[in-house]
Amino acid sequence: MSLLPRLYSGISHFNFVGSTEAVSTKFAFLFSRWRKRLKGGIQLTTVAGKHGGKLSIPDKISAETVAREDVLPETVKTGFLKFDEMISERREQARRSLVVQVQSEASCLELREYIENISPVNCMFHYKLKENHFVLVEFKDNCLQEILLNWCHVSDKSTVPVASPVVWFKAAQAGRKRSGQEITSIEDSKVIRVSPPPSYETILNLTSQIQRVSPLMETLHACTKLDELGTRLRFFTARQVELAMSGLFPHCAVLPFGSSVNGFGKSGSDLDLIFRHDLSQHETSMGNSNRSLRLVYQTKTSLGGPRPLTQRQMELMADLLQVLMPGCSGVKRILQARVPIVKYSNDFTGLDCDLSMSNMTGLYMSELLFLYSQLDPMSKLLICFVKTWAAACLLTNPSPGRWITNFMLIMLCIHYLQSLKRLPPLDVMVKAAGPEDERVTDDINCTFARDLSRLNWNSSCPSLPPSKILKGFFEYYMNYDFGAYCVSITTEARLTKPDYSPLYIVNPLERSLNVSKNVSGEELEKLKMALRNAAWVLESGDLPVNSLLTRLGQNSNPLPPLLQTGFFSSPIPHASSVEGEPAF
């Protein structure tokens, strides 16, 4: 069965009531849902349009139900969605996708008619970056290569004639009539219009009206989570690089990892990419191919070792991005880091990208976190809130240094949920692994059960609302003995610290490494104080719950802490600067 119904789990984009209007204390926003799929496209209906432009969500909505809205529908039948299946289906979508720059939103009408004459269209998304309008087109058939070769051309002979899946839809010739059925409105074109993420002020104004913790957590997650278009654009960005390299490496793959695919992503975050020369060899090593191949490619060898070779290849890829790839700008080479990366921006998808070649542990860590998000969807609400709270308290910082990172916060949240018996320790998943789950990269064993339906583990925790879980999180770590014990998601037992680091968080895949080795004693004390303050706010009720996001850690800067830290817009520090920490 195709995974497409799962992936169309709903595009949620929100048009919030302006600050000049009276906002309901229960929070009001426009909530758009899929209504039905039509032949040749998808049509959206705005539920809020039937309620005078506002839609209030009742306080009594089950928090578990709200958290499960992110779970793909097919998982109800099959149990859980596999990470590899999700990646495979998203890559197939990207192979059939084309980004078209148009003059305005009105051009979408004519584009739809023109594109349908070339090949049937599955869906189209209109989005805007600054003053430029773009449409992401997904065709029903895998015909993109034929379209690029036969239906696209280079208008300026002074430019490099690159055949890229990003094109411009030029205006029709004067006096030329459009053929086919006339389209008179944007609704008739069946183009999905996606609004940009809400601004800082909108989110702060909205959350300031909420008096209860559970609705606050739900609203914050709904405002900031990665939506359908954001996910598609990330895989499309990876596909653009993959196409450029496929001449030399026909079996290559550029795979997103980190927050883009681990289930805890947010809109506006960076895109982490890993380039694999030959994905078929990777699949063969996992036992997915039994063919006996006797013809072997002639290749070049390097006498300088794997790291100098990787650095040289990354430098060549940086030149390719900078000189030949349309839309790629701001290319920076960071080749001396523990994990060499190339940073660049994609102007057509609005993403800041980090491209690497030797960080498969980051991909497997993303898979592990994805599985945890499947096991307990409530973890998404908790992690989203904790990361926002930590930024408001100035515990995290966009620049690498002695501060706590978002990946460390995710580890703290998962460890806490394991203490509640909501999530299994990693050792349970390792014991349930079969031969098909074996993964080893750079002598690091990344084997654990990928099919959660085979996992012999059931949550013994009673159903709890998000507010109880959040309060328990602050109280748990407020009383945690960081001086004597590690924080580990690998086992149920509390492990003693092997060294005198202020904070010791075990890397789940490289268990001899401390992902929080960079955290100073001063920053740990700040964390403890922030935990006590947050627990007091929730216990006493003397301050509004929104003070967890706007008042803790506030200094003389008149801007709210969320704006001081730039949480919603600044990139997360790249983990290559922290020993043993994957890129999240």
Side-chain angles (χ1 to χ4, degrees), residues 233-438:
L233 288 178
R234 289 163 189 269
F235 279 85
F236 177 85
T237 302
R239 177 60 179 168
Q240 186 183 16
V241 180
E242 187 177 296
L243 274 176
M245 302 300 297
S246 59
L248 281 174
F249 308 104
H251 301 294
C252 71
V254 179
L255 304 174
F257 68 98
S259 61
S260 298
V261 294
N262 65 15
F264 303 116
K266 67 180 184 66
S267 59
S269 61
D270 286 0
L271 171 60
D272 295 309
L273 299 170
I274 181 170
F275 174 77
R276 301 293 295 170
H277 294 88
D278 194 344
L279 192 63
S280 63
Q281 286 188 359
H282 172 66
E283 293 173 346
T284 301
S285 66
M286 296 188 302
N288 294 337
S289 176
N290 295 320
R291 295 181 300 167
S292 178
L293 304 179
R294 298 184 62 186
L295 298 179
V296 183
Y297 289 117
Q298 294 284 358
T299 58
K300 283 192 171 184
T301 58
S302 174
L303 301 178
R307 181 174 174 83
L309 178 61
T310 297
Q311 292 173 324
R312 178 58 178 151
Q313 292 180 72
M314 292 295 296
E315 187 174 3
L316 291 174
M317 292 189 68
D319 293 338
L320 175 69
L321 294 170
Q322 185 172 357
V323 178
L324 298 179
M325 293 285 290
C328 296
S329 62
V331 178
K332 297 180 181 178
R333 301 158 179 82
I334 308 177
L335 305 180
Q336 301 303 321
R338 185 180 64 88
V339 177
I341 63 171
V342 172
K343 301 177 73 71
Y344 71 97
S345 299
N346 191 307
D347 300 331
F348 298 136
T349 58
L351 295 171
D352 294 326
C353 308
D354 293 346
L355 177 64
S356 63
M357 292 179 60
S358 57
N359 194 18
M360 283 301 293
T361 54
L363 181 65
Y364 295 141
M365 181 65 74
S366 303
E367 183 175 14
L368 176 62
L369 297 182
F370 175 83
L371 296 177
Y372 276 131
S373 71
Q374 292 263 298
L375 284 169
D376 186 10
M378 189 70 71
S379 61
K380 298 181 181 182
L381 299 184
L382 176 65
I383 289 174
C384 175
F385 190 93
V386 168
K387 290 196 295 186
T388 309
W389 161 80
C393 297
L394 306 181
L395 295 174
T396 55
N397 194 293
S399 302
R402 64 182 186 275
W403 304 279
I404 292 174
T405 64
N406 285 326
F407 177 71
M408 300 176 199
L409 295 174
I410 292 176
M411 292 293 101
L412 292 175
C413 291
I414 292 178
H415 173 79
Y416 163 67
L417 293 174
Q418 288 176 343
S419 71
L420 297 180
K421 308 300 181 182
R422 295 183 68 97
L423 291 175
L426 178 57
D427 285 345
V428 174
M429 302 176 69
V430 172
K431 291 180 181 179
E436 68 279 5
D437 297 319
E438 183 178 353

Side-chain angles (χ1 to χ4, degrees), residues 101-105 126-134 194-197 327 329 345-352:
Q101 185 173 0
V102 295
Q103 292 181 343
S104 65
E105 185 176 353
H126 169 262
Y127 63 98
K128 187 177 179 181
L129 296 175
K130 297 182 179 179
E131 299 303 321
N132 299 316
H133 294 261
F134 298 91
V194 181
S195 302
S329 62
S345 299
N346 191 307
D347 300 331
F348 298 136
T349 58
L351 295 171
D352 294 326

Side-chain angles (χ1 to χ4, degrees), residues 2 59 87 91 127 140 176 189 206 238 299 320 383 395 402 410 416 527 563:
S2 173
D59 290 343
I87 293 291
R91 293 184 69 213
Y127 63 98
K140 289 186 176 181
R176 184 175 180 179
S189 71
L206 183 66
T299 58
L320 175 69
I383 289 174
L395 295 174
R402 64 182 186 275
I410 292 176
Y416 163 67
L527 172 63
L563 303 185

Side-chain angles (χ1 to χ4, degrees), residues 206-225:
L206 183 66
T207 56
S208 66
Q209 305 299 321
I210 302 174
Q211 304 301 321
R212 299 176 59 186
V213 177
S214 293
L216 176 64
M217 296 175 66
E218 294 158 4
T219 305
L220 183 64
H221 178 252
C223 292
T224 60
K225 68 179 180 180

